[in-house]
Amino acid sequence: MANIDAKLLFCSDKAVAASVTTDVIDLGKNGAVLQPLYISVKLTEGCSSGSMTSVKVQSAATEAFSGAVDEMTVNIPTSVVQTRPCNLAQFFAPIKPGNRYVRLVIAGSSPSGGKLWAYMSPDVQVPL
């Protein structure tokens, strides 16, 4: 099992909503590295109704996210069963060079009852 650094967590057991903005991760004074960062978004508790529909990655040069850049949006397939814990999205995201701060905006369609967990890593974590 992977060891997850608490500083790389976007959110942990955050309640689902029509729009969830996660905590901000500080990549450090040099900002993003040249390689894309691996991002994983999960439901730790399934939704009792509705569903999560997309994950948007945003970056910015300032922690206040003035001049934020929408790096990419990943649509969550409708085939993902969200009434139980599951992986919503796992992907590599390029971050604009020099942008120091990263956050996610996770959107849903009338979701309730579920809990979100998301983290970032410089590489894919696989169990041995």
Side-chain angles (χ1 to χ4, degrees):
M1 187 52 124
N3 291 319
I4 306 299
D5 185 331
K7 292 182 181 179
L8 297 177
L9 281 176
F10 286 109
C11 63
S12 178
D13 290 332
K14 189 166 189 145
V16 297
S19 181
V20 175
T21 301
T22 67
D23 295 338
V24 174
I25 293 178
D26 182 348
L27 299 176
K29 69 178 183 172
N30 294 323
V33 293
L34 295 178
Q35 70 186 39
L37 297 169
Y38 177 74
I39 295 174
S40 180
V41 181
K42 305 174 186 313
L43 278 177
T44 56
E45 288 183 27
C47 294
S48 55
S49 65
S51 63
M52 302 311 294
T53 56
S54 66
V55 178
K56 183 188 321 181
V57 180
Q58 293 183 323
S59 72
T62 64
E63 193 170 6
F65 272 76
S66 54
V69 175
D70 289 348
E71 298 287 356
M72 68 183 293
T73 300
V74 174
N75 292 319
I76 300 166
T78 56
S79 61
V80 175
V81 178
Q82 295 186 32
T83 55
R84 61 181 183 239
C86 64
N87 288 316
L88 294 176
Q90 295 176 315
F91 55 92
F92 283 98
I95 306 298
K96 180 181 173 188
N99 274 0
R100 179 174 179 157
Y101 301 96
V102 180
R103 69 181 178 191
L104 304 178
V105 179
I106 307 167
S109 175
S110 303
S112 66
K115 303 278 184 170
L116 292 163
W117 185 86
Y119 79 101
M120 176 179 66
S121 174
D123 52 24
V124 177
Q125 304 291 328
V126 293
L128 297 176

